[in-house]
Amino acid sequence: MVEKHSKFHGIAVSPGIAWGKACIMGSPPKITRRKIKVAQVTQELARLTQAIDSSREQIESLRDRIKSRLSAKEAAIFDAHLLFLKDPVFIAQIQKKLLEAQINIEAAVEEVIEESVAVFKSTQDSYLKERIQDVRDVGSRILGNLIGYSQKCLIGEEKHLIIVSPEITPSQAVGFNTTQIKGLITEKGGPTSHAAILARSLGIPLISGIPNLSRHIELSTPVFMNGYTGEVIINPSHRQIQKYRISAKAQAEKKRQEKKVIGLPSVTSDGWEIHLFANIRTEEDVELAQVFQAEGIGLYRTEIHFLDRNEYPDEDEQFQHYRTIVEKMAPFPVTIRTMDLGGDKFTSYYNNNHPLPERNPYLGLRAIRLSLKYPEIFKQQLRAILRASEFGNAKILLPMIASIEEIKQVKRLLLQSMNELSEQNIPFKQDFLLGAMIEIPSAALAAEAILKEVDFLSVGTNDLIQYTLAVDRGNAQVSQFYEALHPSILFLLKHIADAARRAGKEVSICGEMAGDIRYSKLLLGLGYTHLSMSSFFIPQVKKIIRSISMHEANALANRALSLNEVKKIKQLLEKDKVLNN
Ligand code: PEP
Ligand code: MG
């Protein structure tokens, strides 16, 4: 365990200052099988009953919370979990194992879970196969309650929690209660990991890249974290608390100042209009986009509707989500990105479809590749988007495009979807815009050809940097190589913007660079006048825009493009003092 007042340093990936009690998450410790005496059987059975009761209470509370944040259908997963807990066969199997083998209850539960999973795996019945994840989830919850390893703090009364976890997956984050969770600290992950993006969109600080932290900190230990500097203090002293209170006050004041620009136009001092859009995931995020006066949604990451569940959402369910958002934002555009599953965004049903594990999921069956492999499922999403387009201004954006052949395939599916809707007399807008994400170097280099196939481009710098520099965006060990200012990235950004300008088509940036004020002036100078970001960043980016001229921005970009070392480009930006504005 760490000593009092221990300090750690990680990568600051989502800004903000927070303090609270540590809630440790991660994989439960390994279960050891031990023999018990006959006299201990009753006691072990009583422990089982208690663990099942606690599991039920936790699941019910989680279900109710999720119900209010997502849809009733998504919350239905938890009803399935509750059914398992009540299943007399499942309970009887555990009891039988305990009595016959005379082993500790933890080992009995674990063995019964593994046996059930093996049975489900061997069956041809796809419904039963889909239950594997349910059995595992329920099983680990019971085990967690038995061994006292739990995420109790997630459902307790505590109002200020800091989650400490090896890593946070997007599906875990879906269940977070943001009124309780004030900050996140992960051992793995980098600035553009999906957990980082989620944290920013939830407006909570996140620090990544502190190896083994969860092994060194006890549940409920007080923790302070500074999401601007990456500093984490365990058991802070009174003086440190005072210091942090002052920083938090300054932070609140900065936010107040930034809010003042919300209603002001987003124009440079020499009159160039810069369009600021919001990146969203859920219906709730739309409200934030409106508060911060985004000109529309530049990136709607639809994957959220596919995660943390047992089957693909059907067309109607997707339609309801898309329609709500498109309607709420009308007449402003909503750029709906088709599902970007794969990479680090897995689903249990996806894994069932692909029993072969991928060694390089980021280079594997991700995003548009997965969609095109399962055209019937993809068409459900396309039809849902087309139907939603009737209620406002929806645009379709395709993730991870590598070549024009993929766009042509999508167009064929779109045509089929439109014909199917027409045959059923279901209304949709015929004149929607189709765009491609440029996040793979091949697509960046082929921007000119891609522009002939689509109406607009959106640059996903998070992946563009990852794929250009061959650096896993979620791996803290190589985060020092993940460099937005690498000359090759600036070259590609300029190349894409020039191609779009020549084609007379819109190009925006929707990766994390767009909301990072260190890059605002440079991006303007490279030719980007449309930026999409987490709504929280809109005021600070607008403040910078209003303080600079396009003329200066072009000069800065040209100077940066002439340099061939990251260090020199960084020095140039630092000298430019744009951050002092
Ligand atoms: C990107 O890659 O920059 C992007 C916006 O997509 P995502 O972060 O969802 O992969
Ligand atoms: Mg991407």
Side-chain angles (χ1 to χ4, degrees), residues 148-206:
Y149 163 86
S150 80
Q151 293 160 11
K152 258 190 240 135
C153 46
L154 288 184
I155 51 164
E157 293 300 304
E158 189 59 61
K159 280 281 175 289
H160 283 260
L161 293 175
I162 305 287
I163 301 274
V164 179
S165 176
E167 65 186 324
I168 290 165
T169 64
S171 46
Q172 254 175 339
V174 172
F176 281 168
N177 178 352
T178 45
T179 52
Q180 280 182 304
I181 295 167
K182 302 299 172 203
L184 306 166
I185 307 172
T186 63
E187 297 170 356
K188 302 177 190 161
T192 60
S193 66
H194 286 107
I197 293 166
L198 271 164
R200 276 180 224 130
S201 78
L202 294 169
I204 44 183
L206 165 65

Side-chain angles (χ1 to χ4, degrees), residues 279-403:
N279 290 356
I280 63 157
R281 298 171 306 125
T282 62
E283 283 93 326
E284 285 170 6
D285 292 345
V286 172
E287 274 144 44
L288 272 181
Q290 287 168 333
V291 167
F292 289 103
Q293 298 192 9
E295 283 185 54
I297 305 301
L299 174 67
Y300 171 13
R301 290 182 164 100
T302 57
E303 304 80 66
I304 181 100
H305 308 303
F306 296 78
L307 298 171
D308 213 8
R309 49 185 300 144
N310 292 328
E311 58 191 2
Y312 282 104
D314 64 22
E315 180 183 321
D316 275 337
E317 188 186 336
Q318 292 186 60
F319 164 64
Q320 293 306 340
H321 287 300
Y322 307 153
R323 175 188 167 163
T324 311
I325 291 180
V326 167
E327 228 167 16
K328 271 191 184 170
M329 282 307 295
F332 294 112
V334 176
T335 314
I336 307 182
R337 181 177 74 180
T338 62
M339 52 186 147
D340 181 4
L341 293 171
D344 65 350
K345 290 182 264 193
F346 289 111
T347 63
S348 53
Y349 45 92
Y350 167 92
N351 288 344
N352 286 343
N353 278 337
H354 303 282
L356 291 179
E358 293 186 296
R359 285 175 70 180
N360 278 316
Y362 271 123
L363 301 183
L365 206 50
R366 182 186 165 194
I368 201 69
R369 299 174 182 174
L370 183 66
S371 298
L372 290 173
K373 189 170 164 75
Y374 298 103
E376 285 312 314
I377 291 167
F378 186 35
K379 272 197 325 192
Q380 290 186 14
Q381 181 171 40
L382 295 177
R383 281 196 302 263
I385 301 175
L386 288 169
R387 285 168 62 189
S389 68
E390 187 63 10
F391 297 87
N393 183 357
K395 294 158 89 173
I396 301 182
L397 180 60
L398 308 172
M400 217 184 152
I401 288 295
S403 63

